[in-house]
Amino acid sequence: MSQGTSIPKPRKGWVDRFLGFVEWAGNLLPHPVTLFAMFAVATVILSGLGVYFEWSAIDPRPENAAGRSPDGLVHVNSLLDSAGLRWITTHLVSNFVGFAPLGTVLVALLGVGVAEHSGLISAVIRLVILRAPKHLVTMALLFAGVVSNTASEVGYVVIIPLGAAIYYSLGRHPIAGLACAFAGVSGGYSANLLLGTVDPLLSGITTPAAQIISPANPATGYLGYEVNPACNFYFMFASTFLVTIVGTWVSLKIVEPKLGTYSTEHGDPEWLSAPNLQNVTPREIRGLIAAAWTVVILSLGLIYLSLPPEAIKGLGIPESWNGLPWFGALGVGVTEKAKSAAFLEGIVAIIFIAFLIPGIVYGWVVGTIRSDNDVIKSMSKSMTSMGSYIVLVFFAAQFVKFFEWTNLGTILAVQGAQAIKAMNLDNAGVFVLFILVCALVNLIMGSASAKWTFMAPVFVPMLMIVGYSPEVIQCAYRIGDSCTNVISPMMTYFGMIFVLISRYDKRAGMGTIISTMLPYSVTFIIFWTVFFYIWVFLLGIPVGPGAPTFYEQVPGGQ
């Protein structure tokens, strides 16, 4: 090549330009911990400005509600005066330890950690995928990916590499298998057949946001609006099958045909020579059978302890047994409403036991757990991974409590609700906009809990004033938050996906991931939103147990 000759740079397509913008915008954001610290400081400053400029709004709570001002207005409380600074210093610790998601997530993760580190969850996933008929591999891969998010990270480290290896061993394009698994694990993140750690985490954030509008009332004994961890279970259970079916169709009809026939020319020879297809061993099968029987026994025990008094008598159980703590805790001998409330309040403990005991049984059979020390080590490993989360929670808790105490959240919610009504969006159509906003925010902020922590105090009260329940609002958020995970470079495991794809095709770049996963993202958000409308507004089915669709204010609190 002669001197002075240059090779023209190839023109960037719209996918690459879009990706470049997302990366640029995302890189402008600081670490989530820093972000929440900044939000907390900004709230302190805004509270002082609010008092100076006399910001206020009409109080949406009914008359005689606890804390309602006699003039019917919500006024800003300053954190910059002596009373505000004293409140900050005296509540710094209680804000942190009283933050609802902290305890619920840690307790649930203790049980999930034992099941994960014993190998139970990995064995179940491999059994589902590797034993499926070849013509159902795609559907099995999607399904296993969706279900895997019960145990948080296990889907990313097990399902996605396994999906690529299975497709390659079958003579199909490995990136298509990787994309299929990625769509199930990340695109269908909120859907599941079981309750996972994300359920108590999100409900714990939604509860204080809902209490901005429906706070505790000591005069009536009302403890404030409570959002139970199972509040989206019905809808998310059904969504598992929706995501699996839609994802399978996208994989077979769009993604795999687009990728075409795979050539090993640009793959990593060492990686391609030994696909990681670890089948389930006979010993693991015995462990799975033992764990399955354990789940059956635990389920029967839970049903037994939840029987009403009439059934207890019919079984010939002594009436004196009704006073046992287990029976009382699960609602035996009390009203149906109290029984339901007790069950929902204990759902985190049930998640803990449901993963802990089968995990121990499985580990004992296969040899991964031999003593109480192994169980403790499994729990400790789970807690070790939560260090950064605990740091994040400290600052997130301060921001949430500052926002609540200053009344800035209530004022913003009231003004936002009035704007929605002025735009004639005070109907079910508002959720289309809300889901799209959540999906767009997800492109530049990957953490589901971090996003919801700063979005919930604004959108939950705002849409409650319009008339929708916190449970339905949280359900809509989960749709938007999940669908764009697969095209967001800010998603925690996006770098790992890039490395895996490059092992099968060294030419692949970030644009390869986006263009491959975009059909899943677009299709999921369309079909999932339509499904949400049919479920909630057309059929009127609750999104979960104890979850109303509409919010109605009750005079005096409750």
Side-chain angles (χ1 to χ4, degrees), residues 500-534:
L500 283 172
I501 281 187
S502 64
R503 285 173 174 170
Y504 290 100
D505 189 345
K506 295 177 182 178
R507 302 168 301 171
M510 298 288 278
T512 306
I513 303 176
I514 298 294
S515 61
T516 302
M517 301 309 300
L518 194 59
Y520 291 105
S521 187
V522 173
T523 310
F524 280 173
I525 203 166
I526 292 173
F527 279 86
W528 215 345
T529 302
V530 171
F531 185 59
F532 173 77
Y533 270 83
I534 293 173

PDB file of all heavy atoms in Angstrom, residues 500-534:
ATOM      1  N   LEU A 500     -18.633 -14.434  25.857  1.00  0.00           N
ATOM      2  CA  LEU A 500     -19.121 -15.727  25.381  1.00  0.00           C
ATOM      3  C   LEU A 500     -19.353 -15.717  23.871  1.00  0.00           C
ATOM      4  O   LEU A 500     -18.978 -16.652  23.157  1.00  0.00           O
ATOM      5  CB  LEU A 500     -20.421 -16.093  26.105  1.00  0.00           C
ATOM      6  CG  LEU A 500     -20.277 -16.608  27.538  1.00  0.00           C
ATOM      7  CD1 LEU A 500     -21.654 -16.748  28.179  1.00  0.00           C
ATOM      8  CD2 LEU A 500     -19.544 -17.937  27.570  1.00  0.00           C
ATOM      9  N   ILE A 501     -19.967 -14.655  23.375  1.00  0.00           N
ATOM     10  CA  ILE A 501     -20.242 -14.569  21.933  1.00  0.00           C
ATOM     11  C   ILE A 501     -18.935 -14.514  21.141  1.00  0.00           C
ATOM     12  O   ILE A 501     -18.792 -15.151  20.092  1.00  0.00           O
ATOM     13  CB  ILE A 501     -21.122 -13.340  21.623  1.00  0.00           C
ATOM     14  CG1 ILE A 501     -22.587 -13.641  21.967  1.00  0.00           C
ATOM     15  CG2 ILE A 501     -21.010 -12.930  20.160  1.00  0.00           C
ATOM     16  CD1 ILE A 501     -23.565 -12.576  21.561  1.00  0.00           C
ATOM     17  N   SER A 502     -17.965 -13.768  21.655  1.00  0.00           N
ATOM     18  CA  SER A 502     -16.692 -13.631  20.934  1.00  0.00           C
ATOM     19  C   SER A 502     -15.931 -14.949  20.858  1.00  0.00           C
ATOM     20  O   SER A 502     -15.090 -15.133  19.971  1.00  0.00           O
ATOM     21  CB  SER A 502     -15.819 -12.559  21.592  1.00  0.00           C
ATOM     22  OG  SER A 502     -15.464 -12.938  22.908  1.00  0.00           O
ATOM     23  N   ARG A 503     -16.209 -15.891  21.745  1.00  0.00           N
ATOM     24  CA  ARG A 503     -15.556 -17.200  21.682  1.00  0.00           C
ATOM     25  C   ARG A 503     -16.075 -18.023  20.505  1.00  0.00           C
ATOM     26  O   ARG A 503     -15.379 -18.879  19.991  1.00  0.00           O
ATOM     27  CB  ARG A 503     -15.771 -17.953  22.989  1.00  0.00           C
ATOM     28  CG  ARG A 503     -14.907 -17.431  24.132  1.00  0.00           C
ATOM     29  CD  ARG A 503     -15.272 -18.079  25.446  1.00  0.00           C
ATOM     30  NE  ARG A 503     -14.330 -17.668  26.490  1.00  0.00           N
ATOM     31  CZ  ARG A 503     -14.504 -17.927  27.782  1.00  0.00           C
ATOM     32  NH1 ARG A 503     -15.583 -18.586  28.180  1.00  0.00           N
ATOM     33  NH2 ARG A 503     -13.616 -17.541  28.672  1.00  0.00           N
ATOM     34  N   TYR A 504     -17.306 -17.741  20.102  1.00  0.00           N
ATOM     35  CA  TYR A 504     -17.878 -18.451  18.958  1.00  0.00           C
ATOM     36  C   TYR A 504     -17.699 -17.683  17.656  1.00  0.00           C
ATOM     37  O   TYR A 504     -17.776 -18.252  16.575  1.00  0.00           O
ATOM     38  CB  TYR A 504     -19.367 -18.725  19.202  1.00  0.00           C
ATOM     39  CG  TYR A 504     -19.612 -19.755  20.282  1.00  0.00           C
ATOM     40  CD1 TYR A 504     -19.961 -19.370  21.563  1.00  0.00           C
ATOM     41  CD2 TYR A 504     -19.469 -21.108  20.012  1.00  0.00           C
ATOM     42  CE1 TYR A 504     -20.174 -20.319  22.564  1.00  0.00           C
ATOM     43  CE2 TYR A 504     -19.679 -22.063  21.000  1.00  0.00           C
ATOM     44  CZ  TYR A 504     -20.032 -21.658  22.280  1.00  0.00           C
ATOM     45  OH  TYR A 504     -20.227 -22.604  23.246  1.00  0.00           O
ATOM     46  N   ASP A 505     -17.488 -16.356  17.773  1.00  0.00           N
ATOM     47  CA  ASP A 505     -17.248 -15.538  16.583  1.00  0.00           C
ATOM     48  C   ASP A 505     -16.410 -14.335  17.000  1.00  0.00           C
ATOM     49  O   ASP A 505     -16.910 -13.394  17.623  1.00  0.00           O
ATOM     50  CB  ASP A 505     -18.580 -15.077  15.976  1.00  0.00           C
ATOM     51  CG  ASP A 505     -18.393 -14.410  14.618  1.00  0.00           C
ATOM     52  OD1 ASP A 505     -17.242 -14.055  14.287  1.00  0.00           O
ATOM     53  OD2 ASP A 505     -19.384 -14.255  13.896  1.00  0.00           O
ATOM     54  N   LYS A 506     -15.125 -14.374  16.659  1.00  0.00           N
ATOM     55  CA  LYS A 506     -14.207 -13.324  17.085  1.00  0.00           C
ATOM     56  C   LYS A 506     -14.534 -11.978  16.453  1.00  0.00           C
ATOM     57  O   LYS A 506     -14.078 -10.937  16.929  1.00  0.00           O
ATOM     58  CB  LYS A 506     -12.764 -13.720  16.743  1.00  0.00           C
ATOM     59  CG  LYS A 506     -12.272 -14.936  17.514  1.00  0.00           C
ATOM     60  CD  LYS A 506     -10.865 -15.336  17.092  1.00  0.00           C
ATOM     61  CE  LYS A 506     -10.405 -16.576  17.846  1.00  0.00           C
ATOM     62  NZ  LYS A 506      -9.058 -17.018  17.433  1.00  0.00           N
ATOM     63  N   ARG A 507     -15.312 -11.979  15.390  1.00  0.00           N
ATOM     64  CA  ARG A 507     -15.679 -10.718  14.729  1.00  0.00           C
ATOM     65  C   ARG A 507     -16.809 -10.008  15.462  1.00  0.00           C
ATOM     66  O   ARG A 507     -17.079  -8.823  15.199  1.00  0.00           O
ATOM     67  CB  ARG A 507     -16.124 -10.996  13.295  1.00  0.00           C
ATOM     68  CG  ARG A 507     -15.100 -11.703  12.413  1.00  0.00           C
ATOM     69  CD  ARG A 507     -15.750 -12.176  11.129  1.00  0.00           C
ATOM     70  NE  ARG A 507     -16.860 -13.085  11.399  1.00  0.00           N
ATOM     71  CZ  ARG A 507     -17.723 -13.534  10.486  1.00  0.00           C
ATOM     72  NH1 ARG A 507     -17.584 -13.150   9.225  1.00  0.00           N
ATOM     73  NH2 ARG A 507     -18.696 -14.357  10.826  1.00  0.00           N
ATOM     74  N   ALA A 508     -17.499 -10.723  16.332  1.00  0.00           N
ATOM     75  CA  ALA A 508     -18.689 -10.167  16.990  1.00  0.00           C
ATOM     76  C   ALA A 508     -18.318  -8.996  17.889  1.00  0.00           C
ATOM     77  O   ALA A 508     -17.280  -9.004  18.558  1.00  0.00           O
ATOM     78  CB  ALA A 508     -19.390 -11.255  17.801  1.00  0.00           C
ATOM     79  N   GLY A 509     -19.172  -7.988  17.884  1.00  0.00           N
ATOM     80  CA  GLY A 509     -18.996  -6.829  18.748  1.00  0.00           C
ATOM     81  C   GLY A 509     -20.256  -6.586  19.549  1.00  0.00           C
ATOM     82  O   GLY A 509     -21.191  -7.384  19.548  1.00  0.00           O
ATOM     83  N   MET A 510     -20.276  -5.450  20.220  1.00  0.00           N
ATOM     84  CA  MET A 510     -21.447  -5.102  21.028  1.00  0.00           C
ATOM     85  C   MET A 510     -22.696  -4.964  20.148  1.00  0.00           C
ATOM     86  O   MET A 510     -23.801  -5.309  20.553  1.00  0.00           O
ATOM     87  CB  MET A 510     -21.195  -3.787  21.771  1.00  0.00           C
ATOM     88  CG  MET A 510     -20.035  -3.858  22.750  1.00  0.00           C
ATOM     89  SD  MET A 510     -20.418  -4.840  24.216  1.00  0.00           S
ATOM     90  CE  MET A 510     -21.287  -3.628  25.190  1.00  0.00           C
ATOM     91  N   GLY A 511     -22.481  -4.455  18.930  1.00  0.00           N
ATOM     92  CA  GLY A 511     -23.615  -4.330  18.015  1.00  0.00           C
ATOM     93  C   GLY A 511     -24.216  -5.673  17.648  1.00  0.00           C
ATOM     94  O   GLY A 511     -25.412  -5.782  17.379  1.00  0.00           O
ATOM     95  N   THR A 512     -23.377  -6.744  17.648  1.00  0.00           N
ATOM     96  CA  THR A 512     -23.875  -8.094  17.369  1.00  0.00           C
ATOM     97  C   THR A 512     -24.887  -8.514  18.425  1.00  0.00           C
ATOM     98  O   THR A 512     -25.937  -9.089  18.119  1.00  0.00           O
ATOM     99  CB  THR A 512     -22.705  -9.100  17.341  1.00  0.00           C
ATOM    100  OG1 THR A 512     -21.719  -8.654  16.419  1.00  0.00           O
ATOM    101  CG2 THR A 512     -23.191 -10.485  16.959  1.00  0.00           C
ATOM    102  N   ILE A 513     -24.555  -8.220  19.688  1.00  0.00           N
ATOM    103  CA  ILE A 513     -25.462  -8.580  20.779  1.00  0.00           C
ATOM    104  C   ILE A 513     -26.779  -7.819  20.654  1.00  0.00           C
ATOM    105  O   ILE A 513     -27.864  -8.401  20.746  1.00  0.00           O
ATOM    106  CB  ILE A 513     -24.812  -8.278  22.149  1.00  0.00           C
ATOM    107  CG1 ILE A 513     -23.493  -9.010  22.283  1.00  0.00           C
ATOM    108  CG2 ILE A 513     -25.758  -8.669  23.274  1.00  0.00           C
ATOM    109  CD1 ILE A 513     -22.737  -8.690  23.564  1.00  0.00           C
ATOM    110  N   ILE A 514     -26.674  -6.513  20.408  1.00  0.00           N
ATOM    111  CA  ILE A 514     -27.881  -5.687  20.329  1.00  0.00           C
ATOM    112  C   ILE A 514     -28.777  -6.136  19.178  1.00  0.00           C
ATOM    113  O   ILE A 514     -29.984  -6.322  19.339  1.00  0.00           O
ATOM    114  CB  ILE A 514     -27.519  -4.195  20.150  1.00  0.00           C
ATOM    115  CG1 ILE A 514     -26.730  -3.692  21.362  1.00  0.00           C
ATOM    116  CG2 ILE A 514     -28.779  -3.364  19.958  1.00  0.00           C
ATOM    117  CD1 ILE A 514     -27.495  -3.653  22.645  1.00  0.00           C
ATOM    118  N   SER A 515     -28.180  -6.322  17.996  1.00  0.00           N
ATOM    119  CA  SER A 515     -28.987  -6.695  16.829  1.00  0.00           C
ATOM    120  C   SER A 515     -29.595  -8.087  16.983  1.00  0.00           C
ATOM    121  O   SER A 515     -30.694  -8.346  16.493  1.00  0.00           O
ATOM    122  CB  SER A 515     -28.128  -6.645  15.560  1.00  0.00           C
ATOM    123  OG  SER A 515     -27.044  -7.559  15.655  1.00  0.00           O
ATOM    124  N   THR A 516     -28.880  -8.982  17.676  1.00  0.00           N
ATOM    125  CA  THR A 516     -29.409 -10.336  17.893  1.00  0.00           C
ATOM    126  C   THR A 516     -30.547 -10.338  18.904  1.00  0.00           C
ATOM    127  O   THR A 516     -31.541 -11.062  18.749  1.00  0.00           O
ATOM    128  CB  THR A 516     -28.276 -11.275  18.372  1.00  0.00           C
ATOM    129  OG1 THR A 516     -27.223 -11.290  17.407  1.00  0.00           O
ATOM    130  CG2 THR A 516     -28.792 -12.699  18.571  1.00  0.00           C
ATOM    131  N   MET A 517     -30.410  -9.515  19.951  1.00  0.00           N
ATOM    132  CA  MET A 517     -31.380  -9.548  21.051  1.00  0.00           C
ATOM    133  C   MET A 517     -32.534  -8.567  20.879  1.00  0.00           C
ATOM    134  O   MET A 517     -33.546  -8.675  21.573  1.00  0.00           O
ATOM    135  CB  MET A 517     -30.665  -9.249  22.377  1.00  0.00           C
ATOM    136  CG  MET A 517     -29.542 -10.208  22.734  1.00  0.00           C
ATOM    137  SD  MET A 517     -30.007 -11.968  22.652  1.00  0.00           S
ATOM    138  CE  MET A 517     -31.342 -12.044  23.840  1.00  0.00           C
ATOM    139  N   LEU A 518     -32.408  -7.615  19.969  1.00  0.00           N
ATOM    140  CA  LEU A 518     -33.454  -6.612  19.793  1.00  0.00           C
ATOM    141  C   LEU A 518     -34.820  -7.212  19.451  1.00  0.00           C
ATOM    142  O   LEU A 518     -35.840  -6.755  19.977  1.00  0.00           O
ATOM    143  CB  LEU A 518     -33.032  -5.601  18.727  1.00  0.00           C
ATOM    144  CG  LEU A 518     -33.854  -4.307  18.658  1.00  0.00           C
ATOM    145  CD1 LEU A 518     -33.811  -3.564  19.978  1.00  0.00           C
ATOM    146  CD2 LEU A 518     -33.343  -3.414  17.532  1.00  0.00           C
ATOM    147  N   PRO A 519     -34.910  -8.245  18.587  1.00  0.00           N
ATOM    148  CA  PRO A 519     -36.227  -8.840  18.319  1.00  0.00           C
ATOM    149  C   PRO A 519     -36.909  -9.378  19.573  1.00  0.00           C
ATOM    150  O   PRO A 519     -38.133  -9.277  19.713  1.00  0.00           O
ATOM    151  CB  PRO A 519     -35.908  -9.976  17.337  1.00  0.00           C
ATOM    152  CG  PRO A 519     -34.640  -9.549  16.668  1.00  0.00           C
ATOM    153  CD  PRO A 519     -33.865  -8.843  17.719  1.00  0.00           C
ATOM    154  N   TYR A 520     -36.130  -9.959  20.486  1.00  0.00           N
ATOM    155  CA  TYR A 520     -36.707 -10.430  21.754  1.00  0.00           C
ATOM    156  C   TYR A 520     -37.265  -9.264  22.553  1.00  0.00           C
ATOM    157  O   TYR A 520     -38.387  -9.311  23.066  1.00  0.00           O
ATOM    158  CB  TYR A 520     -35.647 -11.144  22.596  1.00  0.00           C
ATOM    159  CG  TYR A 520     -35.167 -12.463  22.055  1.00  0.00           C
ATOM    160  CD1 TYR A 520     -33.909 -12.574  21.455  1.00  0.00           C
ATOM    161  CD2 TYR A 520     -35.938 -13.610  22.175  1.00  0.00           C
ATOM    162  CE1 TYR A 520     -33.436 -13.786  20.979  1.00  0.00           C
ATOM    163  CE2 TYR A 520     -35.469 -14.831  21.700  1.00  0.00           C
ATOM    164  CZ  TYR A 520     -34.227 -14.916  21.099  1.00  0.00           C
ATOM    165  OH  TYR A 520     -33.773 -16.121  20.631  1.00  0.00           O
ATOM    166  N   SER A 521     -36.469  -8.205  22.668  1.00  0.00           N
ATOM    167  CA  SER A 521     -36.854  -7.061  23.491  1.00  0.00           C
ATOM    168  C   SER A 521     -38.146  -6.424  22.993  1.00  0.00           C
ATOM    169  O   SER A 521     -39.083  -6.178  23.760  1.00  0.00           O
ATOM    170  CB  SER A 521     -35.722  -6.032  23.494  1.00  0.00           C
ATOM    171  OG  SER A 521     -35.992  -4.991  24.396  1.00  0.00           O
ATOM    172  N   VAL A 522     -38.204  -6.161  21.683  1.00  0.00           N
ATOM    173  CA  VAL A 522     -39.385  -5.517  21.096  1.00  0.00           C
ATOM    174  C   VAL A 522     -40.613  -6.421  21.213  1.00  0.00           C
ATOM    175  O   VAL A 522     -41.707  -5.971  21.609  1.00  0.00           O
ATOM    176  CB  VAL A 522     -39.127  -5.161  19.618  1.00  0.00           C
ATOM    177  CG1 VAL A 522     -40.402  -4.644  18.957  1.00  0.00           C
ATOM    178  CG2 VAL A 522     -38.012  -4.115  19.517  1.00  0.00           C
ATOM    179  N   THR A 523     -40.444  -7.700  20.892  1.00  0.00           N
ATOM    180  CA  THR A 523     -41.577  -8.630  20.940  1.00  0.00           C
ATOM    181  C   THR A 523     -42.075  -8.833  22.357  1.00  0.00           C
ATOM    182  O   THR A 523     -43.286  -8.868  22.609  1.00  0.00           O
ATOM    183  CB  THR A 523     -41.178  -9.997  20.335  1.00  0.00           C
ATOM    184  OG1 THR A 523     -40.562  -9.782  19.065  1.00  0.00           O
ATOM    185  CG2 THR A 523     -42.397 -10.879  20.152  1.00  0.00           C
ATOM    186  N   PHE A 524     -41.156  -8.972  23.315  1.00  0.00           N
ATOM    187  CA  PHE A 524     -41.549  -9.150  24.711  1.00  0.00           C
ATOM    188  C   PHE A 524     -42.369  -7.968  25.216  1.00  0.00           C
ATOM    189  O   PHE A 524     -43.391  -8.142  25.870  1.00  0.00           O
ATOM    190  CB  PHE A 524     -40.308  -9.321  25.598  1.00  0.00           C
ATOM    191  CG  PHE A 524     -39.707 -10.702  25.581  1.00  0.00           C
ATOM    192  CD1 PHE A 524     -38.504 -10.957  26.222  1.00  0.00           C
ATOM    193  CD2 PHE A 524     -40.332 -11.751  24.931  1.00  0.00           C
ATOM    194  CE1 PHE A 524     -37.929 -12.226  26.206  1.00  0.00           C
ATOM    195  CE2 PHE A 524     -39.775 -13.025  24.901  1.00  0.00           C
ATOM    196  CZ  PHE A 524     -38.572 -13.255  25.547  1.00  0.00           C
ATOM    197  N   ILE A 525     -41.893  -6.758  24.918  1.00  0.00           N
ATOM    198  CA  ILE A 525     -42.581  -5.593  25.469  1.00  0.00           C
ATOM    199  C   ILE A 525     -43.979  -5.422  24.861  1.00  0.00           C
ATOM    200  O   ILE A 525     -44.916  -4.995  25.535  1.00  0.00           O
ATOM    201  CB  ILE A 525     -41.727  -4.310  25.294  1.00  0.00           C
ATOM    202  CG1 ILE A 525     -42.152  -3.267  26.329  1.00  0.00           C
ATOM    203  CG2 ILE A 525     -41.837  -3.726  23.887  1.00  0.00           C
ATOM    204  CD1 ILE A 525     -41.162  -2.131  26.470  1.00  0.00           C
ATOM    205  N   ILE A 526     -44.143  -5.799  23.596  1.00  0.00           N
ATOM    206  CA  ILE A 526     -45.459  -5.703  22.958  1.00  0.00           C
ATOM    207  C   ILE A 526     -46.410  -6.763  23.530  1.00  0.00           C
ATOM    208  O   ILE A 526     -47.496  -6.445  24.015  1.00  0.00           O
ATOM    209  CB  ILE A 526     -45.337  -5.857  21.431  1.00  0.00           C
ATOM    210  CG1 ILE A 526     -44.600  -4.654  20.824  1.00  0.00           C
ATOM    211  CG2 ILE A 526     -46.722  -6.002  20.797  1.00  0.00           C
ATOM    212  CD1 ILE A 526     -44.277  -4.807  19.348  1.00  0.00           C
ATOM    213  N   PHE A 527     -45.987  -8.021  23.484  1.00  0.00           N
ATOM    214  CA  PHE A 527     -46.869  -9.101  23.914  1.00  0.00           C
ATOM    215  C   PHE A 527     -47.122  -9.079  25.418  1.00  0.00           C
ATOM    216  O   PHE A 527     -48.233  -9.363  25.867  1.00  0.00           O
ATOM    217  CB  PHE A 527     -46.282 -10.454  23.501  1.00  0.00           C
ATOM    218  CG  PHE A 527     -46.550 -10.820  22.072  1.00  0.00           C
ATOM    219  CD1 PHE A 527     -45.697 -10.387  21.057  1.00  0.00           C
ATOM    220  CD2 PHE A 527     -47.660 -11.561  21.720  1.00  0.00           C
ATOM    221  CE1 PHE A 527     -45.938 -10.703  19.738  1.00  0.00           C
ATOM    222  CE2 PHE A 527     -47.915 -11.889  20.396  1.00  0.00           C
ATOM    223  CZ  PHE A 527     -47.056 -11.464  19.402  1.00  0.00           C
ATOM    224  N   TRP A 528     -46.110  -8.728  26.197  1.00  0.00           N
ATOM    225  CA  TRP A 528     -46.268  -8.712  27.650  1.00  0.00           C
ATOM    226  C   TRP A 528     -47.190  -7.579  28.092  1.00  0.00           C
ATOM    227  O   TRP A 528     -47.995  -7.729  29.006  1.00  0.00           O
ATOM    228  CB  TRP A 528     -44.900  -8.576  28.317  1.00  0.00           C
ATOM    229  CG  TRP A 528     -44.771  -9.323  29.621  1.00  0.00           C
ATOM    230  CD1 TRP A 528     -45.770  -9.836  30.386  1.00  0.00           C
ATOM    231  CD2 TRP A 528     -43.547  -9.642  30.298  1.00  0.00           C
ATOM    232  NE1 TRP A 528     -45.261 -10.456  31.503  1.00  0.00           N
ATOM    233  CE2 TRP A 528     -43.895 -10.352  31.472  1.00  0.00           C
ATOM    234  CE3 TRP A 528     -42.205  -9.401  30.033  1.00  0.00           C
ATOM    235  CZ2 TRP A 528     -42.935 -10.807  32.383  1.00  0.00           C
ATOM    236  CZ3 TRP A 528     -41.251  -9.861  30.930  1.00  0.00           C
ATOM    237  CH2 TRP A 528     -41.617 -10.563  32.098  1.00  0.00           C
ATOM    238  N   THR A 529     -47.083  -6.435  27.417  1.00  0.00           N
ATOM    239  CA  THR A 529     -47.969  -5.310  27.738  1.00  0.00           C
ATOM    240  C   THR A 529     -49.417  -5.637  27.374  1.00  0.00           C
ATOM    241  O   THR A 529     -50.344  -5.357  28.147  1.00  0.00           O
ATOM    242  CB  THR A 529     -47.512  -4.036  26.991  1.00  0.00           C
ATOM    243  OG1 THR A 529     -46.164  -3.732  27.358  1.00  0.00           O
ATOM    244  CG2 THR A 529     -48.412  -2.854  27.328  1.00  0.00           C
ATOM    245  N   VAL A 530     -49.620  -6.232  26.205  1.00  0.00           N
ATOM    246  CA  VAL A 530     -50.975  -6.636  25.797  1.00  0.00           C
ATOM    247  C   VAL A 530     -51.531  -7.658  26.783  1.00  0.00           C
ATOM    248  O   VAL A 530     -52.695  -7.588  27.199  1.00  0.00           O
ATOM    249  CB  VAL A 530     -50.964  -7.208  24.365  1.00  0.00           C
ATOM    250  CG1 VAL A 530     -52.314  -7.839  24.029  1.00  0.00           C
ATOM    251  CG2 VAL A 530     -50.615  -6.120  23.361  1.00  0.00           C
ATOM    252  N   PHE A 531     -50.699  -8.613  27.175  1.00  0.00           N
ATOM    253  CA  PHE A 531     -51.109  -9.638  28.137  1.00  0.00           C
ATOM    254  C   PHE A 531     -51.500  -9.003  29.476  1.00  0.00           C
ATOM    255  O   PHE A 531     -52.472  -9.410  30.123  1.00  0.00           O
ATOM    256  CB  PHE A 531     -49.963 -10.634  28.334  1.00  0.00           C
ATOM    257  CG  PHE A 531     -50.297 -11.794  29.218  1.00  0.00           C
ATOM    258  CD1 PHE A 531     -51.335 -12.662  28.908  1.00  0.00           C
ATOM    259  CD2 PHE A 531     -49.547 -12.050  30.368  1.00  0.00           C
ATOM    260  CE1 PHE A 531     -51.636 -13.745  29.730  1.00  0.00           C
ATOM    261  CE2 PHE A 531     -49.837 -13.123  31.187  1.00  0.00           C
ATOM    262  CZ  PHE A 531     -50.888 -13.977  30.874  1.00  0.00           C
ATOM    263  N   PHE A 532     -50.746  -7.990  29.894  1.00  0.00           N
ATOM    264  CA  PHE A 532     -51.034  -7.261  31.128  1.00  0.00           C
ATOM    265  C   PHE A 532     -52.419  -6.611  31.060  1.00  0.00           C
ATOM    266  O   PHE A 532     -53.207  -6.698  32.015  1.00  0.00           O
ATOM    267  CB  PHE A 532     -49.953  -6.205  31.352  1.00  0.00           C
ATOM    268  CG  PHE A 532     -50.206  -5.267  32.503  1.00  0.00           C
ATOM    269  CD1 PHE A 532     -50.002  -5.674  33.811  1.00  0.00           C
ATOM    270  CD2 PHE A 532     -50.644  -3.965  32.267  1.00  0.00           C
ATOM    271  CE1 PHE A 532     -50.231  -4.804  34.867  1.00  0.00           C
ATOM    272  CE2 PHE A 532     -50.868  -3.092  33.313  1.00  0.00           C
ATOM    273  CZ  PHE A 532     -50.663  -3.511  34.625  1.00  0.00           C
ATOM    274  N   TYR A 533     -52.706  -5.978  29.926  1.00  0.00           N
ATOM    275  CA  TYR A 533     -54.010  -5.318  29.781  1.00  0.00           C
ATOM    276  C   TYR A 533     -55.149  -6.332  29.772  1.00  0.00           C
ATOM    277  O   TYR A 533     -56.202  -6.109  30.379  1.00  0.00           O
ATOM    278  CB  TYR A 533     -54.033  -4.469  28.504  1.00  0.00           C
ATOM    279  CG  TYR A 533     -53.559  -3.062  28.750  1.00  0.00           C
ATOM    280  CD1 TYR A 533     -52.200  -2.757  28.766  1.00  0.00           C
ATOM    281  CD2 TYR A 533     -54.465  -2.043  28.997  1.00  0.00           C
ATOM    282  CE1 TYR A 533     -51.757  -1.483  29.023  1.00  0.00           C
ATOM    283  CE2 TYR A 533     -54.030  -0.756  29.248  1.00  0.00           C
ATOM    284  CZ  TYR A 533     -52.679  -0.482  29.264  1.00  0.00           C
ATOM    285  OH  TYR A 533     -52.254   0.792  29.531  1.00  0.00           O
ATOM    286  N   ILE A 534     -54.965  -7.433  29.077  1.00  0.00           N
ATOM    287  CA  ILE A 534     -56.013  -8.456  29.029  1.00  0.00           C
ATOM    288  C   ILE A 534     -56.237  -9.027  30.426  1.00  0.00           C
ATOM    289  O   ILE A 534     -57.384  -9.175  30.883  1.00  0.00           O
ATOM    290  CB  ILE A 534     -55.624  -9.578  28.040  1.00  0.00           C
ATOM    291  CG1 ILE A 534     -55.614  -9.040  26.610  1.00  0.00           C
ATOM    292  CG2 ILE A 534     -56.584 -10.762  28.154  1.00  0.00           C
ATOM    293  CD1 ILE A 534     -55.079 -10.031  25.592  1.00  0.00           C
TER     294      ILE A 534
END
